[in-house]
Amino acid sequence: MKLLQDLSLAEIKKLVAEKGYPAYRAEQLNALKISNRDYSDSTNLPKALIEEISSEYSARAVKIVEVRRSKDGAEKYLFETSDSRVVEGVFMPYDYGNTLCISTQVGCRMGCVFCASGLNGLERNLSSGEMLSEVAEVNAMHGGTQKKRAVSNIVLMGTGEPLDNYDNVVKFLKELNDPKGLNISLRNVSLSTSGLAANMRRLADEGLNVVLAVSLHAATDEKRSRIMPVNRSNPISEVMAAADYYFEKTGRRVIYEYAVGKHNSGRDDLDELAALLRGRNAHINLINLNYVKERDMRGLSRKELEIFMDELKKRGLSVTMRRSMGADIDGACGQLRIKHLARRMAEGKGEVK
Ligand code: SAH
Ligand code: SF4
């Protein structure tokens, strides 16, 4: 079954015209697309139109099947797709606005050794409509509407590598920003990548101007390739050149993410990181590495983390620590999904992919 949420307003207009209905019906269908409503909840669409469209396009691409609430206000969701795949999202109420972290793929094929999302490889890409549906579901859950949104900031940092699903992600970003849609400013959207250099450049040329975050995690090719296989085909020099190009084209400062653990917090790591970023308009976002049981890699203590951050500052770098929200609800990348899949398998409901 195709998904209504995969269609842009222009595509819906064409469909509605082909079926012989007046153009304003397209706007009504578009409103359904960015809510979490089913056709049956619609009060203004004629029955005949609903019958025709719903036989080809289903209305809600994903549904929330599990919610975990943290003491700090964060919420973690499991979204289920129409073909029973699961991906996750995290809602974080920050002072500057409610932020939703969404997934872009079911699984991930990049295989970073510290990440639970890549443990079982890539199952499939998410479509633009499925990503939009993640936002629509959470917006509605928090009482938001099209005009008065309950989600103002989006980060593409859940399961998946967004630039490995380039076309769908770009379509999704345009949908998010559509004035007739949720109309979310792309200034409030961050995209995190493991560093697919060619697509970073393509993104720079799209004129979308989202905040680009690059997952660095090590500052030499030798060390980075050990923990991020993607570095073998996208070495640091190419990633940095693409990030510089992004800054040049968009004027937006690039964020470098550094998940710090025992393996990348030595004096040599500090010096290498400083040498790499010095002189660039760069900002480092430190994340304490979330322990992933399957990988047995550990983060630092609070004290060690503060020392590491101070040392970077002493070397003249701009650095902040990402506030870790939802630690009590498996806030880490990919962890809830992995648990869910393991449980499903234990219950005999499907293999873990
Ligand atoms: N694929 C993209 C975006 C999703 S991952 C990327 O890699 O950038 C979002 C962020 O979580 C990335 O910076 C990733 O490196 C980080 N991450 C993954 N596993 C982690 C872990 N165990 N602890 C801390 N950060 C982790
Ligand atoms: Fe994929 Fe990002 Fe996880 Fe690496 S860190 S495996 S790129 S989701």
Side-chain angles (χ1 to χ4, degrees):
M1 182 83 117
K2 291 183 277 188
L3 304 171
L4 180 70
Q5 288 167 316
D6 276 337
L7 302 180
S8 65
L9 178 57
E11 288 163 331
I12 294 179
K13 278 185 175 158
K14 195 163 159 266
L15 186 71
V16 164
E18 275 165 13
K19 297 203 182 291
Y21 290 92
Y24 70 93
R25 295 293 184 202
E27 307 251 347
Q28 290 171 339
L29 270 172
N30 201 58
L32 193 71
K33 200 180 83 183
I34 50 178
S35 72
N36 68 336
R37 286 177 289 142
D38 275 309
Y39 293 105
S40 54
D41 303 323
S42 163
T43 50
N44 50 15
L45 286 165
K47 227 173 156 209
L49 174 66
I50 289 180
E51 266 166 29
E52 277 186 69
I53 305 275
S54 66
S55 65
E56 273 180 75
Y57 296 90
S58 58
R60 287 168 77 183
V62 305
K63 284 184 183 154
I64 295 172
V65 290
E66 190 175 326
V67 184
R68 289 198 187 180
R69 294 195 167 85
S70 164
K71 291 195 281 288
D72 58 19
E75 290 178 358
K76 184 139 189 169
Y77 313 104
L78 271 184
F79 300 105
E80 190 172 59
T81 63
S82 52
D83 60 349
S84 306
R85 317 269 170 161
V86 285
V87 292
E88 57 190 53
V90 185
F91 175 86
M92 295 156 287
Y94 287 127
D95 308 339
Y96 55 81
N98 291 338
T99 300
L100 177 65
C101 170
I102 64 153
S103 294
T104 55
Q105 296 181 308
V106 188
C108 182
R109 66 191 180 103
M110 298 301 143
C112 305
V113 301
F114 46 81
C115 176
S117 291
L119 274 176
N120 306 108
L122 175 69
E123 282 183 49
R124 69 166 175 81
N125 283 327
L126 288 180
S127 72
S128 65
E130 288 174 318
M131 290 179 249
L132 187 68
S133 188
E134 292 180 58
V135 181
E137 293 290 315
V138 176
N139 186 46
M141 173 179 259
H142 284 271
T145 59
Q146 177 185 6
K147 297 242 150 39
K148 211 170 166 294
R149 293 175 307 269
V151 174
S152 54
N153 297 59
I154 307 283
V155 296
L156 276 58
M157 283 192 190
T159 305
E161 166 50 52
L163 297 185
D164 187 38
N165 182 15
Y166 188 86
D167 293 341
N168 291 340
V169 164
V170 166
K171 183 171 184 187
F172 160 69
L173 293 174
K174 289 179 180 164
E175 278 292 306
L176 209 54
N177 190 226
D178 186 348
K180 296 262 168 134
L182 285 169
N183 197 13
I184 292 181
S185 164
L186 293 185
R187 299 197 74 78
N188 296 343
V189 176
S190 306
L191 183 153
S192 173
T193 179
S194 56
L196 300 181
N199 281 350
M200 287 164 68
R201 286 175 183 272
R202 270 173 87 193
L203 189 69
D205 293 332
E206 299 279 353
L208 295 170
N209 296 359
V210 297
V211 176
L212 183 67
V214 175
S215 297
L216 197 56
H217 307 321
T220 66
D221 281 324
E222 194 257 319
K223 286 181 186 164
R224 194 165 185 266
S225 292
R226 241 188 280 150
I227 54 172
M228 298 179 71
V230 65
N231 192 69
R232 292 180 203 136
S233 46
N234 292 264
I236 291 177
S237 58
E238 284 178 25
V239 175
M240 298 309 289
D244 291 345
Y245 180 72
Y246 193 87
F247 175 62
E248 221 172 87
K249 289 289 277 194
T250 64
R252 306 217 69 179
R253 182 171 73 160
V254 175
I255 312 277
Y256 293 90
E257 287 161 284
Y258 199 91
V260 56
K262 306 258 180 260
H263 64 287
N264 62 355
S265 52
R267 187 150 294 277
D268 48 342
D269 296 301
L270 284 163
D271 293 337
E272 287 154 5
L273 191 56
L276 186 67
L277 296 183
R278 197 172 291 129
R280 286 192 154 93
N281 196 341
H283 180 80
I284 303 175
N285 204 350
L286 279 185
I287 320 158
N288 199 10
L289 190 87
N290 275 307
Y291 177 61
V292 179
K293 187 169 91 252
E294 294 81 354
R295 302 294 198 192
D296 196 30
M297 286 177 84
R298 284 165 205 282
L300 301 183
S301 69
R302 191 85 220 155
K303 184 99 196 103
E304 289 167 327
L305 208 56
E306 269 160 26
I307 294 171
F308 189 79
M309 181 152 118
D310 286 344
E311 287 294 325
L312 286 175
K313 285 184 179 162
K314 270 191 214 158
R315 287 164 175 77
L317 299 175
S318 158
V319 44
T320 46
M321 187 118 53
R322 195 203 286 173
R323 213 170 104 213
S324 170
M325 289 193 86
D328 52 336
I329 51 166
D330 291 318
C333 190
Q335 286 184 12
L336 185 60
R337 175 172 169 269
I338 292 293
K339 276 196 185 159
H340 179 86
L341 294 177
R343 194 171 61 227
R344 239 196 216 181
M345 188 167 81
E347 290 167 358
K349 286 186 191 155
E351 54 176 322
V352 175
K353 281 208 182 130

